[in-house]
Amino acid sequence: MDRQLANMKQSLFNKGYLDEQFVQLEELQDDANPNFVEEVVTLYYRDSTRLVQNIEQALEKTPLDFARLDSYMHQFKSKSTSIGAKRVKIECTKFREHCKGANGEGCKKTFQQLKKEYATLKKKLEFYFQFARQVGPVNKASRPN
Amino acid sequence: MTVEKITGDNENLDNFPVGLRVLAVDDDPTCLMLLDTLLKKCQYHVTSTSHARVALKMLRENKDRLDLVISDVHMPDMDGFKLLELVGLEMDLPVIMLSANSDPKLVMKGVTHGACDYLVKPVRIEELRNIWQHVIRRKKFDSKNQNKSADQLNSNRTSGEGQGNQMTSNADQNGKFNRKRKDEEDENEDNGNESEDPATQKKPRVVWSIELHRKFVAAVNQLGIEKAVPKRILDLMNVEGLTRENVASHLQKYRLYLKRISSVATQQANMVAAFGVKDSPFMRIGPFEGLGDFRSLAGPGRLANAALSPYTTGGMLGRLNSPANVNLQNLTPSALIQPQNLSDSINPLGKMHPVPPSANQNPSLFQGSPSSLELDQLQQNKCATGIVNFNAVDNSRMQTARTISSSDSMVTGAPGNNPMMLRGNYQQSLSGGGFPNQPSHNTVSFNPDSFNLLNGGIIQSSQMQQPNSLLSTEPLHSQRATNSTQENNFSNGFYLQNNPIFISSTSMALPLDDSRDMQCQEGLVGDIQNITQTPSQSWGEQGQSYGQNSELTFSSLNAHAPSSQSLDQGSGILNEKMGNFVNGRLGGGASTLMQQNENEATESRARSNENFLLEQPKVTGGFVPRTYDSLDDMMNAMIKREQDETIPNCDFGFDDYSFGPSI
């Protein structure tokens, strides 16, 4: 079971969904804070929902306010970085590049991709946490190989 | 947002840095939670909040219970850099900036604003384990400061003192640390805490009230920025209970601030050029007009001015410019003429002002100028402050003007625009009425008036004749000092300068009749301190309530306020007005000032303090407008307060001009 969990996690790292930061989160989890990682991830998804909406609304405006979009994305990237959401972070960076270039189409396309990654990660992590809860109370942080 | 009880107790005193008391500020809940947890993992005592304003409030109330602040850069309610400055000024706590953005420009900005470190997200726990060094370094730095100052002083210093410092600093960082933690309640934060033998007693943190700061700036200006050493400053200030160490660390901060201002000012030069864009009421600043006249008076009159003028002008201009520097436009041509030394300010001014500056205008010029514009605006106040008519006054007179409380004698028959206007302006600015109504005015015009008044030593006379006159006083002073007729000093910067000059010249007379005024004047720090420190004071609370803008304005106000006050011996109105003015103005003006480059360090000091605070608003752009709003509120509140005899000014002084913490 532990092994399965470990494999799951390893897979997430290997596929680039998560990065080193996630390990940091796990290291912060301890007896005093047994569900820290899950709490943070939950907070992340809750917190960024509104942000996603804001960005969507902003993308529907004409003309596009790239400064504002960039600012939103900065926040998004900041959050995603904090939990180690690697793929999402990559999309954020791409999005910001498009903003700099005032590339509206690029922004929209990238954002679609971003949302996909965002949703995929959410599912995977939910599954991961569910599994982890079944496995045992505390998951020791283990570095991906 | 989790706010843990901020306690001064720390069971783990022996395990420093365990128990380090950190305040974490980040508007992003995810990041804040992470930061909070990371810090707790380091065994620090963490308080976290997602609102910068709440953080400031907490800091103000619990200054002695916090060791360090970590703040995000990107925050919606307040720019992280602004918070940084405020904390540095007001509380003198080390601040670490945090951001997902690793752009070197931002990092540089952090440095110039006084951050002791800049961390890039995601922050790793290893980095956080080392942050305690900033707390220790700061303490040591202050101690060393004392030592250094001691070295600089010559025979004056007693070696014992120096050693005492040494002992203090070396001897027990932890001890101090612990002491600090436990003794906050005992510390009396008002001006000049009791001075004890540093080696044997705990040194409570000094609260640099406006008044205190004003004295400080005056002393510095008097000595000249290069020659200003803590011991001499301390002697000049003549404040009981203030130690050289306090002054030394305060001086350190002040110098940094000035440096920063000047670097920022250069950037602002362009802005200055674009100065005359808005026709905001600020522009009207009467005082500028006065400048021209003053210059003609020039002459050795105000020594202090000399030193000051260069700085202020630059700085002032910068600041003024930023907020849409309308001020310049209204400046009288003469005023615009910038003395050579005011390089920065000159250019902008020249451009700004449509009227060709005539450096050597005769005093009469002063009267004729733009004052009308400004006066109109300023007129609202209807201050009765005496307007000193500098034009008519020769140097000697000018000097005596200072001491003359009634400006009547000074007032010349300028047509409507007395040089005295300076005073008038000043008053206008002061009178809350005028300013509050015009948010923009407040920010911009504020200082000149006050400055002028100060320089000219014109103390308000019974009636304010025309706002215009205000200008004159200021510039004159500065002019003289610099031996140049340039107005540039005058423009914004001028005001600032004047203030300092004023302060120095009138340092003896510093204490304003109105205690209130003094407060405001003390400048950034002082006010803030007062406000935060003395909740009992009416304005203090007010200030806090103003929150956002008040901070900005605060600093500026403080700086300016003092000068005007001192000049004005008699008129209570003036003083009050000053307060109002200051409050309202500072916010706006300060920012502009900040931006301005100050050539002169000494003058800029005064301003810089303001700038410190002000700068923020400017920098953050968005804040500026807010300031105004708050200024208005503040002004109104202040006006009310005036009646109650409290100077609200203090409120805005957000600038947390950190005083040299007496470690």
Side-chain angles (χ1 to χ4, degrees):
Chain A
M1 284 268 228
D2 269 341
R3 202 150 41 90
Q4 256 180 301
L5 192 67
N7 287 343
M8 242 203 245
K9 188 159 66 165
Q10 188 63 49
S11 156
L12 287 172
F13 281 108
N14 289 347
K15 299 217 176 113
Y17 286 104
L18 295 174
D19 61 22
E20 171 71 20
Q21 181 61 18
F22 193 82
V23 178
Q24 297 277 324
L25 294 184
E26 290 190 313
E27 282 176 353
L28 285 175
Q29 189 159 289
D30 54 19
D31 292 341
N33 229 332
N35 299 311
F36 176 67
V37 188
E38 189 176 355
E39 283 170 11
V40 176
V41 173
T42 306
L43 181 58
Y44 165 76
Y45 276 100
R46 192 169 66 217
D47 189 22
S48 44
T49 302
R50 200 170 46 86
L51 192 55
V52 170
Q53 286 170 4
N54 288 345
I55 298 175
E56 276 185 325
Q57 282 171 10
L59 281 175
E60 282 162 19
K61 292 206 172 95
T62 39
L64 288 178
D65 183 350
F66 289 108
R68 180 183 279 253
L69 284 170
D70 187 73
S71 170
Y72 283 144
M73 202 43 71
H74 174 86
Q75 294 176 44
F76 210 128
K77 183 177 174 194
S78 177
K79 290 185 216 284
S80 307
T81 305
S82 295
I83 68 157
K86 191 170 175 187
R87 285 203 188 180
V88 177
K89 191 171 69 160
I90 289 171
E91 296 302 323
C92 290
T93 306
K94 277 198 216 158
F95 188 100
R96 294 187 80 193
E97 291 295 316
H98 289 310
C99 283
K100 271 194 227 146
N103 181 352
E105 279 312 303
C107 284
K108 288 177 185 165
K109 258 205 263 183
T110 303
F111 190 61
Q112 294 309 314
Q113 186 63 26
L114 189 155
K115 278 197 290 185
K116 250 206 288 186
E117 295 293 347
Y118 176 78
T120 305
L121 180 65
K122 184 174 185 191
K123 279 209 247 16
K124 288 192 186 282
L125 283 176
E126 273 171 359
F127 186 64
Y128 175 81
F129 289 129
Q130 216 175 7
F131 197 77
R133 261 181 264 128
Q134 292 166 12
V135 167
V138 177
N139 277 328
K140 279 233 226 107
S142 58
R143 281 193 154 56
N145 300 340
Chain B
M1 144 177 154
T2 35
V3 180
E4 303 183 0
K5 187 162 95 70
I6 296 180
T7 162
D9 292 344
N10 178 20
E11 319 72 57
N12 298 319
L13 294 176
D14 297 333
N15 301 337
F16 184 78
V18 169
L20 187 72
R21 298 162 302 176
V22 184
L23 176 65
V25 189
D26 193 331
D27 66 303
D28 184 324
T30 310
C31 297
L32 188 64
M33 181 176 180
L34 176 61
L35 182 62
D36 187 274
T37 309
L38 281 167
L39 290 168
K40 289 203 171 103
K41 194 80 173 182
C42 296
Q43 291 182 281
Y44 297 151
H45 190 275
V46 188
T47 307
S48 31
T49 173
S50 54
H51 297 289
R53 301 205 180 273
V54 172
L56 265 172
K57 184 160 181 285
M58 272 193 238
L59 283 163
R60 293 199 172 125
E61 290 166 3
N62 302 286
K63 181 189 299 203
D64 300 313
R65 297 193 174 135
L66 289 165
D67 301 310
L68 183 110
V69 180
I70 297 188
S71 167
D72 188 40
V73 167
H74 240 84
M75 292 191 288
D77 66 332
M78 184 193 298
D79 183 43
F81 293 117
K82 180 155 172 265
L83 175 66
L84 159 63
E85 257 191 4
L86 289 175
V87 172
L89 286 175
E90 240 186 84
M91 291 122 205
D92 188 36
L93 284 178
V95 181
I96 295 178
M97 301 309 294
L98 200 58
S99 176
N101 194 335
S102 59
D103 184 1
K105 290 200 205 91
L106 279 185
V107 179
M108 185 58 176
K109 197 171 175 191
V111 170
T112 55
H113 283 71
C116 53
D117 205 350
Y118 189 107
L119 303 177
V120 180
K121 290 182 190 173
V123 180
R124 293 169 345 120
I125 198 164
E126 293 82 13
E127 294 175 282
L128 292 177
R129 289 202 197 277
N130 284 335
I131 59 178
W132 57 267
Q133 62 179 288
H134 302 295
V135 177
I136 297 301
R137 186 178 297 121
R138 195 166 274 241
K139 288 194 184 156
K140 250 202 195 303
F141 185 62
D142 281 339
S143 304
K144 242 194 253 171
N145 215 5
Q146 304 163 7
N147 296 337
K148 235 199 283 181
S149 311
D151 294 342
Q152 286 169 6
L153 301 178
N154 322 339
S155 35
N156 296 351
R157 340 195 350 225
T158 57
S159 52
E161 196 186 13
Q163 281 158 19
N165 297 342
Q166 193 78 52
M167 280 196 302
T168 314
S169 59
N170 300 336
D172 188 16
Q173 288 294 348
N174 277 353
K176 266 198 230 168
F177 191 71
N178 300 340
R179 236 194 348 235
K180 202 159 82 102
R181 288 179 173 192
K182 292 175 179 157
D183 300 323
E184 303 88 6
E185 316 79 64
D186 305 334
E187 293 180 0
N188 174 9
E189 298 297 341
D190 283 339
N191 296 350
N193 297 344
E194 61 283 6
S195 78
E196 313 91 5
D197 173 4
T200 59
Q201 298 185 17
K202 128 182 110 83
K203 291 192 287 231
R205 186 165 277 185
V206 172
V207 168
W208 283 85
S209 66
I210 295 183
E211 179 168 349
L212 198 62
H213 181 68
R214 187 156 59 83
K215 283 189 183 162
F216 170 81
V217 172
V220 169
N221 289 328
Q222 209 167 323
L223 294 168
I225 190 66
E226 291 85 17
K227 295 215 179 78
V229 288
K231 180 93 166 91
R232 312 236 326 255
I233 297 173
L234 184 66
D235 292 340
L236 272 175
M237 284 174 70
N238 193 25
V239 170
E240 197 178 307
L242 192 66
T243 67
R244 198 172 47 70
E245 297 82 49
N246 299 143
V247 174
S249 55
H250 194 69
L251 179 66
Q252 191 111 35
K253 295 200 190 80
Y254 190 62
R255 285 208 180 111
L256 285 174
Y257 174 71
L258 292 180
K259 243 193 258 173
R260 194 159 57 72
I261 300 300
S262 52
S263 64
V264 169
T266 38
Q267 296 172 14
Q268 299 300 339
N270 298 336
M271 285 183 66
V272 175
F275 205 70
V277 286
K278 256 202 295 191
D279 182 15
S280 66
F282 285 109
M283 293 286 293
R284 306 332 180 70
I285 305 183
F288 284 103
E289 299 179 354
L291 266 181
D293 294 315
F294 273 102
R295 280 184 306 132
S296 47
L297 289 183
R302 306 278 316 250
L303 308 175
N305 297 334
L308 294 174
S309 46
Y311 309 131
T312 48
T313 320
M316 308 233 11
L317 287 180
R319 286 211 218 154
L320 290 177
N321 291 330
S322 356
N325 299 326
V326 283
N327 301 331
L328 288 182
Q329 288 179 352
N330 294 326
L331 296 176
T332 55
S334 56
L336 290 181
I337 299 180
Q338 295 289 342
Q340 290 78 25
N341 42 16
L342 289 183
S343 51
D344 296 338
S345 47
I346 300 179
N347 296 333
L349 286 178
K351 293 186 196 163
M352 304 275 319
H353 207 286
V355 183
S358 42
N360 299 311
Q361 306 259 356
N362 53 28
S364 54
L365 219 186
F366 179 56
Q367 295 150 9
S369 27
S371 50
S372 50
L373 288 181
E374 278 142 75
L375 290 179
D376 296 340
Q377 297 285 345
L378 300 171
Q379 210 62 44
Q380 321 198 359
N381 302 337
K382 299 192 190 151
C383 306
T385 57
I387 298 177
V388 177
N389 191 340
F390 284 92
N391 294 334
V393 180
D394 59 18
N395 293 341
S396 56
R397 272 193 62 226
M398 298 262 323
Q399 297 183 356
T400 53
R402 272 194 278 150
T403 52
I404 295 176
S405 46
S406 75
S407 51
D408 292 346
S409 58
M410 301 278 301
V411 180
T412 56
N417 305 337
N418 278 328
M420 307 283 249
M421 293 214 285
L422 268 187
R423 235 244 207 189
N425 290 338
Y426 179 81
Q427 299 201 340
Q428 294 191 340
S429 53
L430 291 183
S431 50
F435 293 109
N437 300 334
Q438 299 153 7
S440 54
H441 286 288
N442 295 338
T443 55
V444 174
S445 53
F446 67 98
N447 300 321
D449 297 334
S450 49
F451 286 113
N452 292 333
L453 286 178
L454 294 177
N455 292 333
I458 309 172
I459 310 281
Q460 308 81 3
S461 49
S462 40
Q463 60 248 274
M464 217 65 162
Q465 313 213 333
Q466 320 222 337
N468 295 341
S469 55
L470 289 180
L471 288 176
S472 48
T473 42
E474 290 269 304
L476 283 181
H477 292 292
S478 52
Q479 298 288 339
R480 280 204 279 187
T482 53
N483 249 347
S484 55
T485 51
Q486 295 83 5
E487 291 99 351
N488 42 16
N489 289 329
F490 203 25
S491 45
N492 302 336
F494 202 85
Y495 291 111
L496 288 180
Q497 297 187 347
N498 290 330
N499 281 338
I501 299 180
F502 181 79
I503 296 179
S504 45
S505 57
T506 60
S507 50
M508 338 320 174
L510 270 183
L512 293 177
D513 296 349
D514 284 350
S515 55
R516 291 177 295 178
D517 294 337
M518 294 297 284
Q519 303 218 329
C520 298
Q521 304 209 345
E522 280 305 327
L524 310 178
V525 185
D527 290 341
I528 302 185
Q529 289 291 346
N530 294 334
I531 298 191
T532 56
Q533 302 288 341
T534 54
S536 54
Q537 295 177 2
S538 54
W539 61 83
E541 289 148 9
Q542 289 259 342
Q544 299 200 1
S545 57
Y546 287 120
Q548 328 161 3
N549 297 326
S550 48
E551 298 157 12
L552 298 181
T553 52
F554 195 61
S555 44
S556 49
L557 287 175
N558 295 334
H560 300 293
S563 46
S564 51
Q565 305 235 346
S566 39
L567 284 177
D568 191 326
Q569 302 169 5
S571 51
I573 297 175
L574 185 60
N575 290 338
E576 297 180 32
K577 304 248 164 110
M578 280 286 290
N580 293 332
F581 177 73
V582 171
N583 290 337
R585 299 278 246 184
L586 284 183
S591 44
T592 49
L593 289 178
M594 306 259 305
Q595 318 210 336
Q596 198 57 284
N597 234 340
E598 293 153 316
N599 301 336
E600 258 86 343
T602 57
E603 298 202 340
S604 52
R605 268 286 160 104
R607 279 177 296 156
S608 50
N609 291 332
E610 302 170 351
N611 289 333
F612 270 125
L613 298 177
L614 295 176
E615 197 176 24
Q616 288 294 353
K618 294 317 329 224
V619 172
T620 52
F623 289 103
V624 176
R626 282 209 281 191
T627 345
Y628 297 153
D629 296 338
S630 61
L631 282 177
D632 288 350
D633 295 341
M634 294 206 305
M635 297 284 288
N636 293 329
M638 294 205 290
I639 298 180
K640 257 198 224 153
R641 276 199 263 191
E642 277 182 25
Q643 288 148 18
D644 302 338
E645 304 229 333
T646 45
I647 296 196
N649 295 335
C650 299
D651 297 342
F652 31 74
F654 244 105
D655 294 342
D656 289 338
Y657 187 90
S658 48
F659 301 106
S662 47
I663 295 192

